[in-house]
Amino acid sequence: MKYLNQARRYGSKLAFAGVGLALPVLSFATPAGTYDGITSAVDFEEVATAVVAIAALIAVALVAKKGARMVLGMIGR
């Protein structure tokens, strides 16, 4: 049991050290390039249109509610 605990303790330290040493090496191994392939695949125009359409629906509902309150308020007087 003693050796198992020692192996866990030193094994985890060794693993963290290995990851810490491997990350800089991996970052130099990958070539730095442009992100044109990623950014050109995403089209925000459709998303923006959908968001504006939903905002317009909410605005129309709020204006209709306010108008209905005004008309019903005038009838009640």
mmCIF file of all heavy atoms in Angstrom, residues 11-46:
data_model
loop_
_atom_site.group_PDB
_atom_site.id
_atom_site.type_symbol
_atom_site.label_atom_id
_atom_site.label_comp_id
_atom_site.label_asym_id
_atom_site.label_seq_id
_atom_site.Cartn_x
_atom_site.Cartn_y
_atom_site.Cartn_z
ATOM 1 N N GLY A 11 3.750 9.804 -9.538
ATOM 2 C CA GLY A 11 3.227 9.669 -10.896
ATOM 3 C C GLY A 11 2.440 10.891 -11.320
ATOM 4 O O GLY A 11 2.559 11.352 -12.463
ATOM 5 N N SER A 12 1.650 11.445 -10.412
ATOM 6 C CA SER A 12 0.888 12.637 -10.758
ATOM 7 C C SER A 12 1.814 13.824 -10.964
ATOM 8 O O SER A 12 1.614 14.633 -11.867
ATOM 9 C CB SER A 12 -0.145 12.945 -9.681
ATOM 10 O OG SER A 12 0.494 13.231 -8.453
ATOM 11 N N LYS A 13 2.862 13.945 -10.143
ATOM 12 C CA LYS A 13 3.830 15.030 -10.326
ATOM 13 C C LYS A 13 4.561 14.875 -11.651
ATOM 14 O O LYS A 13 4.802 15.847 -12.363
ATOM 15 C CB LYS A 13 4.819 15.062 -9.172
ATOM 16 C CG LYS A 13 4.213 15.533 -7.879
ATOM 17 C CD LYS A 13 5.227 15.534 -6.761
ATOM 18 C CE LYS A 13 4.576 15.954 -5.450
ATOM 19 N NZ LYS A 13 5.527 15.937 -4.337
ATOM 20 N N LEU A 14 4.903 13.643 -11.979
ATOM 21 C CA LEU A 14 5.596 13.396 -13.237
ATOM 22 C C LEU A 14 4.693 13.700 -14.431
ATOM 23 O O LEU A 14 5.140 14.258 -15.434
ATOM 24 C CB LEU A 14 6.075 11.941 -13.281
ATOM 25 C CG LEU A 14 6.871 11.518 -14.502
ATOM 26 C CD1 LEU A 14 8.164 12.323 -14.576
ATOM 27 C CD2 LEU A 14 7.163 10.040 -14.444
ATOM 28 N N ALA A 15 3.414 13.362 -14.308
ATOM 29 C CA ALA A 15 2.482 13.637 -15.397
ATOM 30 C C ALA A 15 2.312 15.137 -15.599
ATOM 31 O O ALA A 15 2.305 15.632 -16.735
ATOM 32 C CB ALA A 15 1.134 12.983 -15.098
ATOM 33 N N PHE A 16 2.170 15.899 -14.506
ATOM 34 C CA PHE A 16 2.033 17.354 -14.631
ATOM 35 C C PHE A 16 3.300 17.971 -15.220
ATOM 36 O O PHE A 16 3.235 18.879 -16.031
ATOM 37 C CB PHE A 16 1.725 17.990 -13.280
ATOM 38 C CG PHE A 16 0.296 17.825 -12.864
ATOM 39 C CD1 PHE A 16 -0.015 17.256 -11.647
ATOM 40 C CD2 PHE A 16 -0.734 18.238 -13.680
ATOM 41 C CE1 PHE A 16 -1.329 17.100 -11.250
ATOM 42 C CE2 PHE A 16 -2.051 18.092 -13.305
ATOM 43 C CZ PHE A 16 -2.350 17.515 -12.080
ATOM 44 N N ALA A 17 4.448 17.467 -14.829
ATOM 45 C CA ALA A 17 5.701 17.975 -15.383
ATOM 46 C C ALA A 17 5.801 17.644 -16.869
ATOM 47 O O ALA A 17 6.247 18.468 -17.668
ATOM 48 C CB ALA A 17 6.879 17.394 -14.622
ATOM 49 N N GLY A 18 5.379 16.460 -17.239
ATOM 50 C CA GLY A 18 5.422 16.074 -18.647
ATOM 51 C C GLY A 18 4.513 16.923 -19.509
ATOM 52 O O GLY A 18 4.882 17.347 -20.602
ATOM 53 N N VAL A 19 3.324 17.201 -19.005
ATOM 54 C CA VAL A 19 2.404 18.061 -19.751
ATOM 55 C C VAL A 19 2.964 19.467 -19.845
ATOM 56 O O VAL A 19 2.907 20.110 -20.891
ATOM 57 C CB VAL A 19 1.007 18.063 -19.073
ATOM 58 C CG1 VAL A 19 0.125 19.141 -19.656
ATOM 59 C CG2 VAL A 19 0.356 16.701 -19.228
ATOM 60 N N GLY A 20 3.538 19.954 -18.743
ATOM 61 C CA GLY A 20 4.123 21.293 -18.754
ATOM 62 C C GLY A 20 5.274 21.420 -19.717
ATOM 63 O O GLY A 20 5.485 22.471 -20.316
ATOM 64 N N LEU A 21 6.038 20.372 -19.882
ATOM 65 C CA LEU A 21 7.154 20.404 -20.818
ATOM 66 C C LEU A 21 6.723 20.152 -22.252
ATOM 67 O O LEU A 21 7.361 20.615 -23.190
ATOM 68 C CB LEU A 21 8.215 19.371 -20.416
ATOM 69 C CG LEU A 21 8.948 19.646 -19.098
ATOM 70 C CD1 LEU A 21 9.842 18.472 -18.750
ATOM 71 C CD2 LEU A 21 9.755 20.923 -19.211
ATOM 72 N N ALA A 22 5.635 19.429 -22.445
ATOM 73 C CA ALA A 22 5.198 19.077 -23.790
ATOM 74 C C ALA A 22 4.424 20.205 -24.463
ATOM 75 O O ALA A 22 4.439 20.319 -25.683
ATOM 76 C CB ALA A 22 4.349 17.814 -23.760
ATOM 77 N N LEU A 23 3.740 21.042 -23.700
ATOM 78 C CA LEU A 23 2.922 22.097 -24.312
ATOM 79 C C LEU A 23 3.724 23.093 -25.133
ATOM 80 O O LEU A 23 3.325 23.417 -26.249
ATOM 81 C CB LEU A 23 2.094 22.804 -23.246
ATOM 82 C CG LEU A 23 0.891 22.017 -22.734
ATOM 83 C CD1 LEU A 23 0.166 22.800 -21.650
ATOM 84 C CD2 LEU A 23 -0.061 21.685 -23.850
ATOM 85 N N PRO A 24 4.841 23.619 -24.651
ATOM 86 C CA PRO A 24 5.609 24.534 -25.507
ATOM 87 C C PRO A 24 6.131 23.864 -26.770
ATOM 88 O O PRO A 24 6.177 24.481 -27.825
ATOM 89 C CB PRO A 24 6.768 24.982 -24.618
ATOM 90 C CG PRO A 24 6.328 24.729 -23.241
ATOM 91 C CD PRO A 24 5.398 23.571 -23.308
ATOM 92 N N VAL A 25 6.491 22.613 -26.674
ATOM 93 C CA VAL A 25 6.978 21.896 -27.845
ATOM 94 C C VAL A 25 5.869 21.734 -28.861
ATOM 95 O O VAL A 25 6.069 21.919 -30.066
ATOM 96 C CB VAL A 25 7.554 20.523 -27.428
ATOM 97 C CG1 VAL A 25 7.919 19.692 -28.643
ATOM 98 C CG2 VAL A 25 8.749 20.716 -26.523
ATOM 99 N N LEU A 26 4.667 21.409 -28.406
ATOM 100 C CA LEU A 26 3.541 21.242 -29.318
ATOM 101 C C LEU A 26 3.140 22.554 -29.967
ATOM 102 O O LEU A 26 2.712 22.581 -31.120
ATOM 103 C CB LEU A 26 2.353 20.643 -28.571
ATOM 104 C CG LEU A 26 2.515 19.200 -28.098
ATOM 105 C CD1 LEU A 26 1.313 18.777 -27.280
ATOM 106 C CD2 LEU A 26 2.711 18.277 -29.283
ATOM 107 N N SER A 27 3.263 23.665 -29.247
ATOM 108 C CA SER A 27 2.872 24.939 -29.837
ATOM 109 C C SER A 27 3.833 25.346 -30.948
ATOM 110 O O SER A 27 3.438 25.999 -31.904
ATOM 111 C CB SER A 27 2.816 26.022 -28.768
ATOM 112 O OG SER A 27 4.110 26.274 -28.265
ATOM 113 N N PHE A 28 5.098 24.960 -30.833
ATOM 114 C CA PHE A 28 6.038 25.266 -31.901
ATOM 115 C C PHE A 28 5.906 24.290 -33.062
ATOM 116 O O PHE A 28 6.299 24.607 -34.172
ATOM 117 C CB PHE A 28 7.478 25.247 -31.382
ATOM 118 C CG PHE A 28 7.813 26.430 -30.536
ATOM 119 C CD1 PHE A 28 8.134 26.284 -29.208
ATOM 120 C CD2 PHE A 28 7.777 27.703 -31.084
ATOM 121 C CE1 PHE A 28 8.443 27.387 -28.432
ATOM 122 C CE2 PHE A 28 8.083 28.809 -30.312
ATOM 123 C CZ PHE A 28 8.420 28.658 -28.988
ATOM 124 N N ALA A 29 5.357 23.129 -32.819
ATOM 125 C CA ALA A 29 5.250 22.123 -33.868
ATOM 126 C C ALA A 29 4.129 22.442 -34.848
ATOM 127 O O ALA A 29 4.212 22.092 -36.018
ATOM 128 C CB ALA A 29 5.006 20.748 -33.255
ATOM 129 N N THR A 30 3.085 23.110 -34.395
ATOM 130 C CA THR A 30 1.979 23.434 -35.290
ATOM 131 C C THR A 30 2.277 24.733 -36.013
ATOM 132 O O THR A 30 2.654 25.724 -35.397
ATOM 133 C CB THR A 30 0.666 23.581 -34.500
ATOM 134 O OG1 THR A 30 0.846 24.583 -33.511
ATOM 135 C CG2 THR A 30 0.270 22.279 -33.857
ATOM 136 N N PRO A 31 2.124 24.757 -37.322
ATOM 137 C CA PRO A 31 2.411 25.983 -38.056
ATOM 138 C C PRO A 31 1.320 27.028 -37.814
ATOM 139 O O PRO A 31 0.134 26.714 -37.742
ATOM 140 C CB PRO A 31 2.415 25.534 -39.513
ATOM 141 C CG PRO A 31 1.555 24.323 -39.534
ATOM 142 C CD PRO A 31 1.729 23.666 -38.196
ATOM 143 N N ALA A 32 1.747 28.254 -37.674
ATOM 144 C CA ALA A 32 0.788 29.348 -37.499
ATOM 145 C C ALA A 32 0.253 29.723 -38.867
ATOM 146 O O ALA A 32 1.001 29.938 -39.809
ATOM 147 C CB ALA A 32 1.463 30.534 -36.832
ATOM 148 N N GLY A 33 -1.048 29.778 -38.988
ATOM 149 C CA GLY A 33 -1.658 30.120 -40.264
ATOM 150 C C GLY A 33 -2.796 31.091 -40.065
ATOM 151 O O GLY A 33 -3.040 31.585 -38.970
ATOM 152 N N THR A 34 -3.476 31.348 -41.128
ATOM 153 C CA THR A 34 -4.628 32.249 -41.041
ATOM 154 C C THR A 34 -5.856 31.448 -40.663
ATOM 155 O O THR A 34 -5.893 30.228 -40.778
ATOM 156 C CB THR A 34 -4.861 32.947 -42.385
ATOM 157 O OG1 THR A 34 -5.130 31.950 -43.374
ATOM 158 C CG2 THR A 34 -3.635 33.752 -42.793
ATOM 159 N N TYR A 35 -6.860 32.147 -40.225
ATOM 160 C CA TYR A 35 -8.113 31.514 -39.814
ATOM 161 C C TYR A 35 -9.203 31.712 -40.861
ATOM 162 O O TYR A 35 -10.380 31.721 -40.544
ATOM 163 C CB TYR A 35 -8.567 32.090 -38.469
ATOM 164 C CG TYR A 35 -7.595 31.782 -37.352
ATOM 165 C CD1 TYR A 35 -6.756 32.762 -36.849
ATOM 166 C CD2 TYR A 35 -7.522 30.514 -36.818
ATOM 167 C CE1 TYR A 35 -5.861 32.473 -35.829
ATOM 168 C CE2 TYR A 35 -6.635 30.216 -35.806
ATOM 169 C CZ TYR A 35 -5.807 31.205 -35.308
ATOM 170 O OH TYR A 35 -4.929 30.921 -34.309
ATOM 171 N N ASP A 36 -8.811 31.860 -42.103
ATOM 172 C CA ASP A 36 -9.788 32.086 -43.163
ATOM 173 C C ASP A 36 -10.746 30.912 -43.318
ATOM 174 O O ASP A 36 -11.929 31.100 -43.587
ATOM 175 C CB ASP A 36 -9.079 32.334 -44.496
ATOM 176 C CG ASP A 36 -8.344 33.666 -44.515
ATOM 177 O OD1 ASP A 36 -8.724 34.548 -43.720
ATOM 178 O OD2 ASP A 36 -7.418 33.814 -45.332
ATOM 179 N N GLY A 37 -10.248 29.722 -43.160
ATOM 180 C CA GLY A 37 -11.108 28.541 -43.310
ATOM 181 C C GLY A 37 -12.188 28.466 -42.256
ATOM 182 O O GLY A 37 -13.306 28.026 -42.515
ATOM 183 N N ILE A 38 -11.871 28.928 -41.056
ATOM 184 C CA ILE A 38 -12.841 28.883 -39.965
ATOM 185 C C ILE A 38 -13.833 30.033 -40.072
ATOM 186 O O ILE A 38 -15.035 29.855 -39.964
ATOM 187 C CB ILE A 38 -12.119 28.925 -38.610
ATOM 188 C CG1 ILE A 38 -11.227 27.698 -38.457
ATOM 189 C CG2 ILE A 38 -13.114 29.000 -37.467
ATOM 190 C CD1 ILE A 38 -10.309 27.750 -37.270
ATOM 191 N N THR A 39 -13.307 31.227 -40.297
ATOM 192 C CA THR A 39 -14.181 32.404 -40.298
ATOM 193 C C THR A 39 -15.062 32.473 -41.531
ATOM 194 O O THR A 39 -16.150 33.042 -41.483
ATOM 195 C CB THR A 39 -13.352 33.693 -40.187
ATOM 196 O OG1 THR A 39 -12.396 33.718 -41.249
ATOM 197 C CG2 THR A 39 -12.631 33.753 -38.859
ATOM 198 N N SER A 40 -14.622 31.932 -42.639
ATOM 199 C CA SER A 40 -15.459 31.971 -43.836
ATOM 200 C C SER A 40 -16.594 30.955 -43.763
ATOM 201 O O SER A 40 -17.588 31.078 -44.473
ATOM 202 C CB SER A 40 -14.615 31.731 -45.081
ATOM 203 O OG SER A 40 -14.091 30.420 -45.063
ATOM 204 N N ALA A 41 -16.471 29.961 -42.897
ATOM 205 C CA ALA A 41 -17.513 28.939 -42.785
ATOM 206 C C ALA A 41 -18.708 29.428 -41.972
ATOM 207 O O ALA A 41 -19.790 28.865 -42.060
ATOM 208 C CB ALA A 41 -16.954 27.676 -42.152
ATOM 209 N N VAL A 42 -18.524 30.495 -41.208
ATOM 210 C CA VAL A 42 -19.595 31.003 -40.359
ATOM 211 C C VAL A 42 -20.223 32.218 -41.026
ATOM 212 O O VAL A 42 -19.525 33.137 -41.436
ATOM 213 C CB VAL A 42 -19.044 31.391 -38.967
ATOM 214 C CG1 VAL A 42 -20.144 31.940 -38.088
ATOM 215 C CG2 VAL A 42 -18.383 30.209 -38.318
ATOM 216 N N ASP A 43 -21.542 32.207 -41.141
ATOM 217 C CA ASP A 43 -22.265 33.320 -41.745
ATOM 218 C C ASP A 43 -23.169 33.935 -40.688
ATOM 219 O O ASP A 43 -24.134 33.321 -40.247
ATOM 220 C CB ASP A 43 -23.090 32.830 -42.927
ATOM 221 C CG ASP A 43 -23.786 33.968 -43.642
ATOM 222 O OD1 ASP A 43 -23.337 35.119 -43.501
ATOM 223 O OD2 ASP A 43 -24.769 33.700 -44.343
ATOM 224 N N PHE A 44 -22.840 35.147 -40.279
ATOM 225 C CA PHE A 44 -23.607 35.799 -39.230
ATOM 226 C C PHE A 44 -24.792 36.581 -39.778
ATOM 227 O O PHE A 44 -25.587 37.106 -39.012
ATOM 228 C CB PHE A 44 -22.701 36.740 -38.430
ATOM 229 C CG PHE A 44 -21.720 36.007 -37.575
ATOM 230 C CD1 PHE A 44 -20.385 35.974 -37.903
ATOM 231 C CD2 PHE A 44 -22.142 35.345 -36.435
ATOM 232 C CE1 PHE A 44 -19.480 35.297 -37.119
ATOM 233 C CE2 PHE A 44 -21.252 34.657 -35.641
ATOM 234 C CZ PHE A 44 -19.916 34.641 -35.988
ATOM 235 N N GLU A 45 -24.924 36.681 -41.083
ATOM 236 C CA GLU A 45 -26.007 37.459 -41.670
ATOM 237 C C GLU A 45 -27.371 36.839 -41.339
ATOM 238 O O GLU A 45 -28.313 37.542 -40.983
ATOM 239 C CB GLU A 45 -25.814 37.548 -43.179
ATOM 240 C CG GLU A 45 -26.823 38.454 -43.864
ATOM 241 C CD GLU A 45 -26.528 38.598 -45.345
ATOM 242 O OE1 GLU A 45 -25.405 38.308 -45.772
ATOM 243 O OE2 GLU A 45 -27.458 39.004 -46.053
ATOM 244 N N GLU A 46 -27.471 35.530 -41.457
ATOM 245 C CA GLU A 46 -28.740 34.862 -41.156
ATOM 246 C C GLU A 46 -29.080 34.970 -39.669
ATOM 247 O O GLU A 46 -30.235 35.156 -39.295
ATOM 248 C CB GLU A 46 -28.666 33.399 -41.571
ATOM 249 C CG GLU A 46 -28.529 33.193 -43.070
ATOM 250 C CD GLU A 46 -28.361 31.731 -43.427
ATOM 251 O OE1 GLU A 46 -28.446 30.882 -42.523
ATOM 252 O OE2 GLU A 46 -28.146 31.445 -44.607
#
